[in-house]
């Protein structure tokens, strides 16, 4: 039962971090923690006592092996998660450039007029950051 | 919304979701006792049917190759989005190679670091290739090998510095690798249809069990994934590094570069 408990704990603590986050980078990190809960859960679901990894090179085919589907899913999860983390961090960079702040609370709607509105927004954001506690 | 209110909202949501979560948790199989029937069947049948030893590769590139194709395009879309968002108005003009900024000191690296990177870089690349090529017999495959290949190029950056790295690793090559890998994977799905077979059906000879050249089409698909992953991850690193550099002239007037 322990792996399931670890997965639930990781997911819960990541979710709590997302809910209380005051910083986008912290938010992305918490999402990563949530995601690692899925790895633990998948690997736990596919595990069987006394089994080998699902690679029949040293062991003849027919040896009890753990569930290969779960391992393939974890592989997919990791690759997609890594690129999505990169995408989210890029969005963070852009939000910081436009708004001058990493705090989700301080996000302002983007103006339609691109150049002047953006310059204004960035300077205002900097002021806010300075006065923020 | 204040942090306290957010936590309260989270607690409320958890309370609402609790009955569903409890029933799912109660329905989970006991840990370590048994595995799903599907995985069991794959373990039993696939070594004879596909002549491959690595079941994870068999699932990713053959049995559920269609899923991997979708994943491949998610990878492509995420990296394309990253590149577009980071480049902004800079466009493609300045990404050819790095310029040394006049008046900016180049921090010297210790000779030990340079030597270690020059030794470890090619070895890492070689190991990445090994992992890619042995996808069907050992733990490994295109995803893992591609990431190892990408980290091999990062060792060039560590040893030779940014300018040397950009001279060695050209952005158009990375684009070609990334897009070409995805294209190769898609073609692997479409090519069998020319012979009247189903989409992504394995039409190449399966080879001998426990030989690197086994699995037929799986090896080609694996190579496509490795190309896409290696190109994509290096591209990500390149774009993030470009973002931290001071541009020769500001990208957009009125905005200082970050």
């Amino acid at each position: 039962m322990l792996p399931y408990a670890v997965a639930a704990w990781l997911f819960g603590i990541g979710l709590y971090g997302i809910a209380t986050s005051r910083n986008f980078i912290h938010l992305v990190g918490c999402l990563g923690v949530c995601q690692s809960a899925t790895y633990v859960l998948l690997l736990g679901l596919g595990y069987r006592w006394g089994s080998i990894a699902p690679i029949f090179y040293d062991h003849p085919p027919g040896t009890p092996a753990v569930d290969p589907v779960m391992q393939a899913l974890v592989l997919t999860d990791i690759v997609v998660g890594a690129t999505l983390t990169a995408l989210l961090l890029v969005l963070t960079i852009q939000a910081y450039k436009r708004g001058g702040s990493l705090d989700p609370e301080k996000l302002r709607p983007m103006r339609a007029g691109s150049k002047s509105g953006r310059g204004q927004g960035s300077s205002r954001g900097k002021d806010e950051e300075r006065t923020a506690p | 919304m204040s942090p306290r209110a957010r936590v309260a909202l989270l607690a409320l949501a958890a309370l609402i979701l609790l009955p569903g979560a409890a029933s799912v948790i109660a329905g989970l199989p006991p840990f370590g006792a048994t595995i799903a029937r599907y995985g069991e069947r794959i373990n039993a049948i696939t070594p004879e049917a596909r002549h491959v030893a690595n079941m994870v590769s068999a699932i990713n590139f053959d049995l559920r190759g269609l899923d991997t194709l979708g994943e491949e395009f998610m990878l492509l879309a995420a990296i394309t989005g990253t590149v577009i968002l980071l480049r902004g108005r800079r466009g493609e003009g300045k990404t050819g190679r790095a310029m040394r900024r006049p008046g900016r000191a180049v921090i010297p690296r210790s000779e030990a670091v340079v030597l270690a990177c020059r030794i470890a870089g090619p070895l890492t690349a070689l190991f990445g290739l090994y992992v890619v090529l042995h996808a069907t017999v050992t733990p490994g495959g295109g995803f893992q090998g591609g990431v190892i290949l990408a980290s091999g190029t990062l060792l060039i950056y560590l040893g030779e510095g940014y300018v040397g790295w950009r001279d060695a690793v050209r952005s158009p090559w990375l684009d070609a690798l990334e897009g070409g890998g995805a294209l190769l994977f898609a073609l692997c799905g479409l090519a069998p249809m020319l012979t009247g077979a189903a989409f992504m059906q394995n039409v190449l000879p399966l080879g001998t069990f426990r030989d690197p050249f086994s699995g037929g089409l799986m090896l080609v698909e694996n190579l496509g994934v490795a190309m896409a992953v290696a190109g994509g991850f290096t591209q990500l690193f390149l774009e993030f590094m470009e973002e931290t550099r001071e541009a020769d002239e500001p990208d957009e007037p009125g905005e200082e570069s970050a």
Side-chain angles (χ1 to χ4, degrees), chain A residues 3-4 19-21 44 46 48-49 54-57 65-67 75-76 79-80 87 90 94 97 105 115 118, chain B residues 1 6-7 29 31-32 35 39-40 43 53 55 59-60 71 74-75 82 85 89 139 143 209-210 240 243 252:
Chain A
Y4 297 153
T20 58
S21 173
R48 179 171 53 181
W49 298 115
I55 289 149
F56 300 108
Y57 194 79
V66 300
D67 196 337
L75 196 57
T76 304
V79 172
V80 172
L87 191 60
V90 168
Q94 292 296 348
K97 270 189 177 175
E105 306 274 313
K115 271 181 201 167
R118 193 180 303 146
Chain B
M1 209 191 300
R6 284 200 270 175
V7 175
F31 175 72
I35 62 173
E40 189 85 71
N43 276 342
M55 293 302 106
I59 290 168
N60 272 332
E71 179 195 348
M74 270 177 79
L75 186 91
T82 306
L85 278 171
R89 291 197 190 165
F143 294 110
F209 184 63
R210 291 175 62 172
F240 272 102
E243 192 65 15
E252 298 166 44

Side-chain angles (χ1 to χ4, degrees), chain B residues 61-107:
Chain B
F61 301 118
D62 193 300
L63 299 170
R64 304 211 59 83
L66 196 59
D67 297 353
T68 310
L69 185 65
E71 179 195 348
E72 193 70 9
F73 281 96
M74 270 177 79
L75 186 91
L76 198 65
I79 289 171
T80 308
T82 306
V83 170
I84 288 173
L85 278 171
L86 275 182
R87 275 187 190 167
R89 291 197 190 165
R90 185 171 42 127
E92 305 191 8
K94 285 191 206 156
T95 54
R97 55 193 299 174
M99 301 290 193
R100 180 161 285 145
R101 191 169 160 79
R104 196 184 205 190
V106 177
I107 303 161

Side-chain angles (χ1 to χ4, degrees), chain A residues 54-98:
Chain A
I55 289 149
F56 300 108
Y57 194 79
D58 293 330
H59 301 268
T63 320
V66 300
D67 196 337
V69 182
M70 296 302 170
Q71 307 214 343
L73 281 176
V74 173
L75 196 57
T76 304
D77 201 352
I78 290 171
V79 172
V80 172
T83 49
L84 280 182
T85 304
L87 191 60
L88 286 173
L89 286 174
V90 168
L91 287 173
T92 304
I93 290 177
Q94 292 296 348
Y96 183 73
K97 270 189 177 175
R98 313 256 150 151

